[in-house]
Amino acid sequence: MNTTDKILMDYAMDRNLNQSEKDILSFLIQKKMEGEQLSIRKAANKLFVSTTSILRLCKKLGFSGYTEFIYNLGLKVAKMPDTEAEFLEGIHSPLETKRKEFMQNYELTFLSLNETHVQVFLEQLQKCQKIYFYGAGFSTTFSNYLAKKMELFGYYVSNSSTSDSRALFWNNIQKYELFIVFSRSGETNRVIEKVKIAKNNGLKTILFTGNKHSTNASLADLVFPVIDPTIESQQEFQVTSYESNMMLLIDTLLSLAIQKGIIKEF
C-alpha cells in the first residue's frame, strides 16, 4: 500500500464513496503529493467533471468546501513520512497474501460441498429437535458454538467432549435424535468410539472435519469437510484458515436453514 492509497483510505473509511468519488479523491491526493497546486476549476477540467462534483465530495468527507479540504490534505501529506509508506507496504503485502489464502481455502471448501448432504442436513434439522453435539480438543469450540446457536433457536441440545466418561455419554445419547460431531483429524479414538455408540443407538451422525478420508468420515452418515492446510503435516496447532473457515461453513448452513424457514429466529 503506497502513501496515496493510505491517505485515500483514511479519508474514505466509512464514507460510502462511489468509484467516481474515489477516483476524484485519488487524483487530488496524488497532485498534492507531487506538490502541484490546483484550483477547483483546474482540477475539474483535468478530471473532466464539474466543480459541483468536487464540492459534493468535499462535503461528503466532512469539509465545508474545497479550500478546507485542500488545507487538511496538505497537513496530512506533510505528516506522512516516506518511511511510513515503506512500513505499511511491509504489512500490506503479507496481509493480502493471507487474505487470499484464507478466502481461497473457503472457496474450495464451499465448492466441495455435497449438495445432497446439505439437503439431508437441513431435513434433519427440520425433523430432529433434540441434538447431541460432541467435539475433541479445539473442535469443542465449534461444537460449543453450534450447540449454543441451536439452543437459541429453540432446540433441545447437549454438548460434551472427551472429558466426559463413556458411561455418561451412553446414558445421555439415548435421549437424542441427532448426533453432530466435530473432529479435525477424524482419527481421535474417543471420538470414533462415540460415533459408533451413536450409530448403534440409531442416531443419524453428521461429521464436520478437516479429513474426509478419516475413520470418522467412513462411519458418519453425512460429512462436511473443511480444507485443512495441515492435513499432511499433522501440525494442527498452526494458525491456519481451518478454524475461521469452519465458522464460515457453520454460519453458511445456518443462514440457509433460516432462509428456507427450517430454523426460526426469535
Side-chain angles (χ1 to χ4, degrees), residues 7-239:
I7 296 175
L8 188 148
M9 184 184 300
D10 287 344
Y11 278 124
M13 187 175 297
D14 298 325
R15 298 292 182 179
N16 295 319
L17 302 185
N18 59 40
Q19 190 56 54
S20 177
E21 291 169 333
K22 290 179 181 178
D23 291 341
I24 294 172
L25 180 57
S26 180
F27 173 83
L28 295 176
I29 294 171
Q30 186 60 44
K31 290 305 176 183
K32 177 58 71 173
M33 294 285 297
E34 294 171 358
E36 187 173 348
Q37 300 295 327
L38 293 178
S39 66
I40 187 171
R41 187 169 298 280
K42 189 173 182 180
N45 290 337
K46 285 181 175 290
L47 284 163
F48 300 103
V49 299
S50 66
T51 55
T52 302
S53 296
I54 297 177
L55 282 173
R56 189 183 302 117
L57 169 63
C58 293
K59 291 182 181 297
K60 198 169 183 179
L61 296 175
F63 300 100
S64 60
Y66 181 73
T67 301
E68 184 182 3
F69 165 69
I70 289 298
Y71 176 75
N72 181 271
L73 176 58
L75 294 177
K76 195 177 288 287
V77 168
K79 292 178 180 178
M80 182 70 72
D82 293 338
T83 52
E84 183 172 348
E86 293 172 3
F87 172 76
L88 290 171
E89 181 60 30
I91 292 296
H92 177 73
S93 182
L95 186 65
E96 184 66 11
T97 298
K98 280 300 174 183
R99 182 191 70 79
K100 289 179 179 178
E101 176 190 323
F102 277 45
M103 294 306 297
Q104 181 183 46
N105 285 342
Y106 179 69
E107 186 71 15
L108 290 172
T109 294
F110 186 83
L111 292 174
S112 69
L113 280 177
N114 184 318
E115 293 187 3
T116 299
H117 283 194
V118 173
Q119 180 61 38
V120 175
F121 175 75
L122 295 177
E123 290 171 356
Q124 288 298 309
L125 293 187
Q126 190 168 37
K127 174 184 175 183
C128 304
Q129 291 297 309
K130 298 179 179 180
I131 307 175
Y132 199 102
F133 293 88
Y134 193 86
F138 281 112
S139 291
T140 58
T141 300
F142 311 127
S143 62
N144 289 339
Y145 178 76
L146 185 51
K148 188 62 178 177
K149 283 282 190 179
M150 299 309 291
E151 186 177 29
L152 291 174
F153 293 138
Y155 286 75
Y156 182 81
V157 306
S158 185
N159 184 32
S160 64
S161 66
T162 50
S163 61
D164 296 324
S165 68
R166 186 177 185 276
L168 180 63
F169 180 85
W170 177 270
N171 290 331
N172 285 336
I173 197 65
Q174 300 178 61
K175 307 172 187 176
Y176 293 87
E177 305 165 320
L178 181 64
F179 186 50
I180 297 180
V181 60
F182 291 86
S183 177
R184 184 169 186 168
S185 68
E187 297 295 348
T188 304
N189 289 330
R190 288 190 180 182
V191 180
I192 294 171
E193 176 189 54
K194 303 307 186 297
V195 170
K196 289 179 178 178
I197 292 173
K199 289 181 68 66
N200 288 337
N201 277 270
L203 274 70
K204 180 80 76 172
T205 301
I206 299 173
L207 171 69
F208 289 82
T209 184
N211 185 4
K212 63 182 179 181
H213 301 297
S214 64
T215 302
N216 268 323
S218 67
L219 292 170
D221 297 294
L222 302 178
V223 179
F224 290 102
V226 172
I227 298 298
D228 181 5
T230 71
I231 193 66
E232 293 187 8
S233 66
Q234 296 297 305
Q235 294 179 325
E236 296 182 13
F237 296 115
Q238 289 183 353
V239 177

